[in-house]
Amino acid sequence: MMADVRRALLLVCLCCLGVTACGRPPVSVLLVTFDTTRWDHVGYSSGRHGLTPTLDALAERGTWFETTTASAPITLPSHATILTGLEPYRHGVRNNGTYNLSESVTTLAECLTDRGYRTHAVVSAFVLDSRFGLDQGFAGYDDDLTGAPKESAFSSREITAERTAAKTLRWLRESEGRTEPFFLWVHFFDPHAGYEPPPEYLARVPDDPYTAEIVYADAMLGRVIAELERQRISEDTLVVFLSDHGESLGEHGERTHGIFIYDATIRVPLLLAGPGVTPGLRVGTLARSVDVMPTILDLIDAPIPTGLDGRSLRSAMAGDGVAPAAYVESLMPRLNYGWSELRGLRTETIKTILAPAPEVFDLVADPDELTNLVGATNGPSAEARALLGELRGLETTDPFSLGGHVEADIEDETRDALEALGYTRADGVIGTPGTADPKDRIAEFETLGRARELIDDNSLVEARTILIELISSSPANMDAMLALAHVHVELGEPAEALSIYERALKVNPNHRHIVGGMVPLLIDRGEIDRAERLLLETLVAIPDSLSLQIALGRLYQDSGRMDRAESSYRKALATDPSAAEAVLGLAGCLEQRGAHEAAAEILTRAYENNQPDPEIVERLARLSNSRGENERSIELYRQLVLLEPDNPSAWNNLAALLAGLHRYPEAAEAAQRAYELDRVTPEIRANLGMMLILAGRFQEGLDHLEVVLPQMPDDTFGASVRAQALEDLGRTDQALTAWKEIATRDPGAGIHVARLELERQDEDAARKALTEAINRGGDAIRTRAGRYPELEELVSEIP
């Protein structure tokens, strides 16, 4: 009897712990966010069946909402809303890059951690870096962009959907067999501009790279879903998919997103599939991204924190309840450009936007939001007027309006990374702060965006024309002036670039980008004193500017003032200890004054304490090689090719190091990768040829060397490897000819000429070749020749 009671108590305990003895296992949660994805560009909601097969299949076995709104048309604030169930005026993240989520805010990950969930996130763009606070509650937060393509002038690094999926699969496979539930958030950045889908996905939707990026992300999500199915945990996993915001694609004059809050950028897809979700259901009730957190908690029967702005959509899926109006905002126009911010409230039938020129739209009769009812004959309805009044009340009580939610100071490198994505251009199109209506400035803004795209496409002449015209009509447009100066530099027009910078400096005398652009131009003109004075004066105004402090250190270093250079670099590192340029500059100063160990210590500390920087890794690799630490150098070069997989020089150097340790097959593999990346540089192809020969692949190596060595007449080593390969292939006559040619510039080759002449039984020719080699090279050649048994007698005969 007692044993039965104990067994019953054990079963109760197991059920309380979530073990499967009492039925279904606990529900795991997979939250998937596609960046910048419009609701009408996924298959299941657009009617384009087969466009996004992964999402379409999830919609078939789940529930999707016809109309869902995001809280903001930019990434960080919108994701903060998704993960907290709070509107931006509550969670306080109002823009990308200059706001961090407060630790006082409770996130979905923290709620689920408290419930015993394993939590992990994989994000694919810098804008969601852990430094901005969304990592709260996640045991693992993978924001590593290692291996991302290099950014260009106006686009930043992101990892592809394939790499995002691969990292997600690795985590799932490492977790296979674990009994506790998981919460996994996966973010695919690919649909964000610029649109560069793999060719095979663009082929599915020709001439539509934006949609092709969504199709690509959908395919990579399919790999994640397939892994859940392989592990037989799909049926026990709640999958929630939505986008952070949409994309204008030219509607209302906006090509991308961030400025306006029309449906093009704030209406997003939302679907749920898995335990507790009705299959094949389509819900017409308005949903909001702020509802995602409470809905997830409700569906897994977890308590919902009090005080959330969102509500569970469980009742809406059951056909009950009245949807509240959806709040949406964009403070980016004000924070980045000095224009008015925009706020809106949207119901299922009405959109109201609070702006210098307010807007009201009847979404039933006018779904494209083309006819503003403010000022129309009949005017807005009483409901619309009430919504505008509610918006004015929200604006009045918003902490931002009351002087709170102030942007944080961010380091120059962070600001640069965000600017490359199109964010935080705090000195952009100038207007009276808070009063210019974005509708009146959008054409100017988009013209500048078009010019930046042309710059990234290297269409510099066309970009120059557009920018000159833009500045003529908007002479205070700081971003346009900076872009035009950049174009002049790239076109080899330094005088024109300097003229633009000087003009810009009159508008803003302490702008770090202006000064940073002027300094190298002044140095090239020999105006070093003026460059130094400009840097020092600007640093008085903005003493924490990392980039200018580094520029000053570089100026001192290049002019031989090492003590001042070292001081400047140390000041920069006091601002940001992880600043790679300052680390490299300081290490260079220390090396130049012979403090090699101190330089190595600085580089090693930076490498170990921060996300590895490619230049630091390469400098350490070279330093290790110079100190004879070959294995360490190889390890570092392997790290470098992970960071920069498209760097042919890194692969080439790795090949040489591996060959030095007689690891020839590995060396040949690395050299092959270098050649695949750079088929033009003769030295890289020659290195491949030599590595193949050393690996015993003689004919393959010769095929490369025969082509490239005529372009490298001074490459004695390469020619020697070729000659030896000819010998190994038994082509003695060709080898002899090759060694004779090499002997004209390297007496050591005469040893091999002598060997082969003896092999041909021409002792006189062998003696002559060896005598000439010893006469030219002295005792060193005599000693080397004596190591060949067949030459010992000849060597003894030569005086």
Side-chain angles (χ1 to χ4, degrees):
M1 178 70 178
M2 184 60 67
D4 292 338
V5 171
R6 287 173 180 162
R7 278 195 295 272
L9 288 172
L10 176 60
L11 287 173
V12 171
C13 291
L14 288 175
C15 288
C16 294
L17 290 172
V19 180
T20 60
C22 285
R24 293 184 63 86
V27 176
S28 292
V29 179
L30 171 63
L31 172 64
V32 179
T33 57
F34 281 13
D35 215 282
T36 322
T37 299
R38 289 172 60 122
W39 70 276
D40 56 1
H41 277 58
V42 294
Y44 69 87
S45 62
S46 67
R48 299 169 67 181
H49 299 293
L51 181 68
T52 51
T54 302
L55 294 175
D56 297 352
L58 286 171
E60 286 181 7
R61 69 179 181 91
T63 294
W64 61 276
F65 286 79
E66 293 179 351
T67 307
T68 304
T69 62
S71 61
I74 49 177
T75 300
L76 184 64
S78 184
H79 275 96
T81 291
I82 292 167
L83 292 172
T84 65
L86 300 174
E87 298 289 10
Y89 54 79
R90 294 281 310 286
H91 60 61
V93 180
R94 314 307 289 270
N95 201 8
N96 285 331
T98 53
Y99 286 89
N100 298 341
L101 184 65
S102 169
E103 292 184 0
S104 64
V105 176
T106 300
T107 67
L108 176 60
E110 288 174 311
C111 290
L112 295 179
T113 296
D114 291 343
R115 297 279 295 177
Y117 277 67
R118 292 178 293 114
T119 55
H120 190 74
V122 181
V123 301
S124 53
F126 177 75
V127 70
L128 294 179
D129 189 277
S130 59
R131 72 187 69 194
F132 303 122
L134 296 192
D135 62 332
Q136 291 173 207
F138 286 102
Y141 193 90
D142 189 343
D143 56 3
D144 182 6
L145 303 184
T146 297
K150 286 188 175 181
E151 63 268 33
S152 51
F154 294 105
S155 63
S156 188
R157 300 177 79 178
E158 60 176 282
I159 59 172
T160 64
E162 184 171 8
R163 187 165 181 82
T164 301
K167 295 201 291 183
T168 304
L169 292 175
R170 183 167 62 246
W171 186 82
L172 285 170
R173 287 164 183 165
E174 289 172 352
S175 303
E176 187 169 1
R178 300 278 292 268
T179 57
E180 67 269 41
F182 64 78
F183 169 47
L184 175 60
W185 168 35
V186 185
H187 164 254
F188 293 93
F189 191 68
D190 303 78
H192 192 285
Y195 318 126
E196 296 181 349
E200 61 269 31
Y201 294 96
L202 183 58
R204 299 184 190 181
V205 278
D207 303 318
D208 188 356
Y210 168 68
T211 303
E213 289 275 35
I214 297 171
V215 172
Y216 172 44
D218 177 85
M220 296 304 105
L221 172 60
R223 297 182 180 181
V224 176
I225 300 299
E227 179 62 21
L228 298 181
E229 293 170 348
R230 187 194 68 80
Q231 293 189 26
R232 298 184 179 181
I233 56 175
S234 178
E235 292 184 357
D236 303 314
T237 301
L238 172 65
V239 180
V240 179
F241 162 79
L242 76 160
S243 175
D244 58 347
H245 54 76
E247 190 81 318
S248 282
L249 300 179
E251 294 185 27
H252 299 277
E254 183 181 37
R255 290 176 308 119
T256 57
H257 62 272
I259 301 297
F260 290 145
I261 52 175
Y262 302 111
D263 271 12
T265 60
I266 64 104
R267 187 174 173 184
V268 297
L270 171 64
L271 71 82
L272 305 91
V277 179
T278 304
L281 181 63
R282 176 176 177 175
V283 180
T285 305
L286 179 67
R288 306 166 299 170
S289 61
V290 75
D291 299 327
V292 169
M293 175 177 171
T295 300
I296 289 174
L297 293 173
D298 194 9
L299 288 172
I300 64 171
D301 297 325
I304 300 173
T306 59
L308 297 187
D309 297 319
R311 62 161 193 157
S312 172
L313 296 172
R314 198 170 196 170
S315 60
M317 289 189 282
D320 299 329
V322 177
Y327 173 80
V328 61
E329 70 172 34
S330 178
L331 268 60
M332 181 176 161
R334 177 168 177 176
L335 293 168
N336 292 17
Y337 303 106
W339 308 337
S340 171
E341 70 267 30
L342 300 175
R343 301 170 190 267
L345 281 173
R346 187 200 196 282
T347 68
E348 293 176 359
T349 60
I350 296 172
K351 165 81 74 65
T352 59
I353 298 176
L354 193 61
E359 297 173 276
V360 173
F361 299 100
D362 179 346
L363 298 176
V364 176
D366 179 27
D368 296 326
E369 300 165 283
L370 299 177
T371 303
N372 183 7
L373 297 179
V374 175
T377 303
N378 295 328
S381 65
E383 181 184 1
R385 291 196 300 272
L387 289 171
L388 283 172
E390 186 177 344
L391 276 172
R392 292 188 179 97
L394 285 170
E395 181 183 40
T396 302
T397 58
D398 188 337
F400 179 83
S401 303
L402 299 173
H405 291 181
V406 178
E407 290 186 289
D409 291 331
I410 60 173
E411 65 272 21
D412 291 352
E413 287 184 342
T414 299
R415 187 177 292 275
D416 288 343
L418 290 161
E419 286 182 0
L421 288 169
Y423 306 125
T424 66
R425 300 185 188 278
D427 293 293
V429 184
I430 303 300
T432 304
T435 62
D437 195 312
K439 295 187 290 293
D440 297 331
R441 309 306 292 266
I442 193 64
E444 187 176 341
F445 175 80
E446 291 300 335
T447 299
L448 178 60
R450 171 61 180 154
R452 287 178 173 141
E453 285 184 354
L454 290 168
I455 293 169
D456 277 344
D457 290 340
N458 206 35
S459 301
L460 299 176
V461 174
E462 187 178 353
R464 180 180 61 188
T465 300
I466 291 175
L467 289 167
I468 289 173
E469 291 176 357
L470 177 56
I471 292 170
S472 68
S473 62
S474 180
N477 190 323
M478 184 64 62
D479 277 357
M481 285 189 278
L482 290 170
L484 180 56
H486 171 82
V487 168
H488 281 312
V489 170
E490 293 298 307
L491 287 173
E493 301 167 347
E496 291 83 350
L498 190 57
S499 174
I500 292 294
Y501 278 132
E502 288 174 336
R503 179 175 168 183
L505 202 62
K506 292 176 182 178
V507 177
N508 189 336
N510 297 312
H511 191 297
R512 67 183 182 89
H513 280 317
I514 299 171
V515 175
M518 287 182 68
V519 164
L521 295 174
L522 292 171
I523 292 173
D524 287 345
R525 289 161 62 103
E527 299 182 44
I528 296 175
D529 290 344
R530 184 184 171 196
E532 179 184 358
R533 186 168 60 253
L534 181 61
L535 284 168
L536 290 171
E537 290 172 354
T538 310
L539 280 166
V540 170
I542 44 175
D544 292 333
S545 174
L546 179 68
S547 60
L548 296 186
Q549 196 65 253
I550 290 171
L552 183 61
R554 194 179 299 117
L555 181 148
Y556 287 141
Q557 189 173 12
D558 291 344
S559 58
R561 290 175 279 179
M562 292 302 159
D563 288 344
R564 291 189 179 185
E566 186 174 330
S567 174
S568 291
Y569 288 133
R570 290 192 186 279
K571 287 179 182 177
L573 289 172
T575 300
D576 181 5
S578 66
E581 288 185 84
V583 169
L584 292 163
L586 178 57
C589 289
L590 294 170
E591 287 176 353
Q592 283 184 261
R593 63 181 177 85
H596 297 291
E597 291 301 321
E601 183 180 343
I602 290 286
L603 292 167
T604 302
R605 188 185 311 130
Y607 172 72
E608 292 176 348
N609 293 346
N610 305 295
Q611 186 167 303
D613 177 85
E615 289 188 61
I616 290 176
V617 174
E618 184 168 19
R619 182 79 70 85
L620 267 178
R622 291 180 181 276
L623 184 63
S624 297
N625 188 35
S626 69
R627 297 162 74 173
E629 300 168 353
N630 295 331
E631 291 289 356
R632 172 63 169 161
S633 189
I634 287 172
E635 175 189 338
L636 288 164
Y637 268 113
R638 288 202 183 280
Q639 175 70 34
L640 181 58
V641 296
L642 284 175
L643 293 168
E644 294 188 328
D646 296 333
N647 182 340
S649 177
W651 285 105
N652 209 45
N653 290 338
L654 175 60
L657 285 166
L658 289 166
L661 294 181
H662 308 294
R663 292 158 63 176
Y664 300 128
E666 292 176 75
E669 185 178 340
Q672 180 67 45
R673 180 63 180 141
Y675 177 62
E676 289 170 356
L677 293 167
D678 181 358
R679 296 178 180 269
V680 176
T681 304
E683 289 77 10
I684 287 180
R685 187 167 189 180
N687 196 47
L688 172 59
M690 290 185 285
M691 296 303 109
L692 289 169
I693 288 169
L694 292 171
R697 296 158 63 180
F698 301 118
Q699 190 57 56
E700 288 180 69
L702 279 173
D703 289 343
H704 287 286
L705 291 181
E706 299 288 4
V707 172
V708 78
L709 284 181
Q711 304 172 43
M712 307 170 62
D714 297 327
D715 186 356
T716 300
F717 181 71
S720 299
V721 172
R722 170 181 173 270
Q724 187 60 58
L726 290 168
E727 278 195 61
D728 292 334
L729 288 171
R731 290 149 63 175
T732 305
D733 290 344
Q734 289 178 269
L736 179 57
T737 300
W739 284 122
K740 284 181 177 179
E741 195 280 326
I742 298 169
T744 61
R745 57 185 187 275
D746 178 8
I751 297 172
H752 301 287
V753 174
R755 283 193 308 100
L756 293 182
E757 293 288 14
L758 277 182
E759 189 176 315
R760 288 157 49 100
Q761 298 182 350
D762 190 340
E763 188 172 329
D764 290 341
R767 183 179 291 104
K768 179 181 178 182
L770 192 57
T771 300
E772 182 179 348
I774 291 173
N775 288 340
R776 290 171 57 202
D779 289 340
I781 297 297
R782 183 186 295 275
T783 301
R784 284 172 54 192
R787 294 173 185 157
Y788 292 88
E790 66 268 35
L791 296 180
E792 287 182 8
E793 185 176 341
L794 278 181
V795 169
S796 67
E797 295 174 0
I798 297 172

